[in-house]
């Protein structure tokens, strides 16, 4: 193939938007990640808008509040254009069964590939994460619990540090 893989663009924390037209540059879009910016051209405005919409949807479904065990969300880039390469599991049906000794999803019992930072529970997919949060009273209630957990952890660490002195 004459297209060379040029690496991956991490999507968590990224934004994507159509680029303004400048001279011959029409139908371009830009992915911004921190200080880096990646610009891609398309053959038409509808094609560009489809790319922007698809990438924005992937970014929106990526949860920076979710730790993963080996999962990632990124775009693989070739010389021609981006190719979505996310492996964050959306639905529990796509998650594998847990092997003995592995973390287990608190909702369905499959492999707990992620730790929900809101609840500190193992979950297998975004679907189970949402159900887990709902089971804990929704985002507002879960946020209160998370803050209480963080405060308790800080108090414990402070007491431990005092005891070591």
């Amino acid at each position: 193939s004459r297209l060379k893989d040029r690496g991956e663009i991490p999507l968590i924390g990224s934004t994507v938007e159509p680029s303004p037209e400048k001279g011959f540059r029409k139908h371009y879009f830009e992915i911004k990640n921190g200080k880096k910016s990646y610009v891609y051209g398309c053959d038409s405005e509808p094609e560009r808008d489809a790319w922007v919409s698809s990438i924005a949807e992937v970014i929106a479904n990526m949860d920076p509040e979710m730790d993963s065990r080996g999962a990632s969300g990124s775009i693989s880039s070739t010389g021609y254009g981006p190719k979505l390469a996310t492996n964050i599991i959306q639905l529990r049906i796509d998650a594998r069964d847990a092997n003995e000794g592995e973390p287990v999803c608190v909702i369905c019992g499959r492999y707990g590939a992620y730790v929900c930072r809101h609840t500190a529970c193992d979950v297998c997919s975004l679907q189970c994460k949402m159900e887990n949060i709902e089971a804990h009273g929704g985002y507002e209630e879960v946020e209160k619990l998370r803050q209480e957990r963080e405060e308790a952890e800080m108090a414990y660490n402070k007491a431990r540090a005092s005891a070591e002195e």
Side-chain angles (χ1 to χ4, degrees), residues 102-148:
E102 289 184 327
V104 175
C105 177
V106 296
I107 300 296
C108 70
R110 292 180 181 271
Y111 171 60
Y114 310 97
V115 178
C116 176
R117 288 189 187 168
H118 294 287
T119 63
C121 295
D122 294 320
V123 292
C124 70
S125 62
L126 288 175
Q127 177 187 16
C128 285
K129 175 194 179 256
M130 296 307 296
E131 290 179 27
N132 177 44
I133 287 172
E134 288 301 316
H136 282 85
Y139 271 105
E140 288 179 19
E141 187 62 31
V142 166
E143 186 58 25
K144 287 181 202 171
L145 292 171
R146 188 185 65 75
Q147 287 175 352
E148 288 172 8

Side-chain angles (χ1 to χ4, degrees), residues 67-83:
D67 283 334
S68 67
R69 296 181 176 97
S72 66
S74 61
I75 290 180
S76 177
S77 179
T78 65
Y80 177 71
K83 149 178 94 174

Side-chain angles (χ1 to χ4, degrees), residues 1-3 6 9-10 14 24-25 28 31 34 36 40 42 51 67 97 103-104 109 125 159 161:
S1 168
R2 60 183 196 150
L3 300 179
R6 298 187 189 271
I9 302 169
S14 293
F24 70 92
R25 283 184 52 173
Y28 280 72
I31 301 168
K36 287 198 166 196
Y40 293 95
C42 299
W51 271 108
D67 283 334
D97 291 334
V104 175
S125 62

Side-chain angles (χ1 to χ4, degrees), residues 5-107:
D5 187 353
R6 298 187 189 271
E8 292 187 351
I9 302 169
L11 291 180
I12 291 179
S14 293
T15 60
V16 61
E17 58 191 33
S19 296
E21 291 186 14
K22 291 181 184 176
F24 70 92
R25 283 184 52 173
K26 298 178 194 256
H27 318 305
Y28 280 72
F29 66 93
E30 185 173 18
I31 301 168
K32 295 178 183 175
N33 183 296
K35 295 179 181 178
K36 287 198 166 196
S37 181
Y38 306 86
V39 179
Y40 293 95
C42 299
D43 292 331
S44 66
E45 187 174 334
E47 180 186 7
R48 180 204 60 201
D49 293 345
W51 271 108
V52 169
S53 176
S54 295
I55 294 169
E57 184 177 342
V58 169
I59 292 169
N61 286 323
M62 301 178 97
D63 188 352
E65 295 296 315
M66 202 161 157
D67 283 334
S68 67
R69 296 181 176 97
S72 66
S74 61
I75 290 180
S76 177
S77 179
T78 65
Y80 177 71
K83 149 178 94 174
L84 296 179
T86 181
N87 65 350
I88 291 179
I89 300 169
Q90 302 289 317
L91 302 173
R92 75 173 58 105
I93 195 162
D94 296 325
R96 68 175 175 82
D97 291 334
N99 294 321
E100 189 173 329
E102 289 184 327
V104 175
C105 177
V106 296
I107 300 296

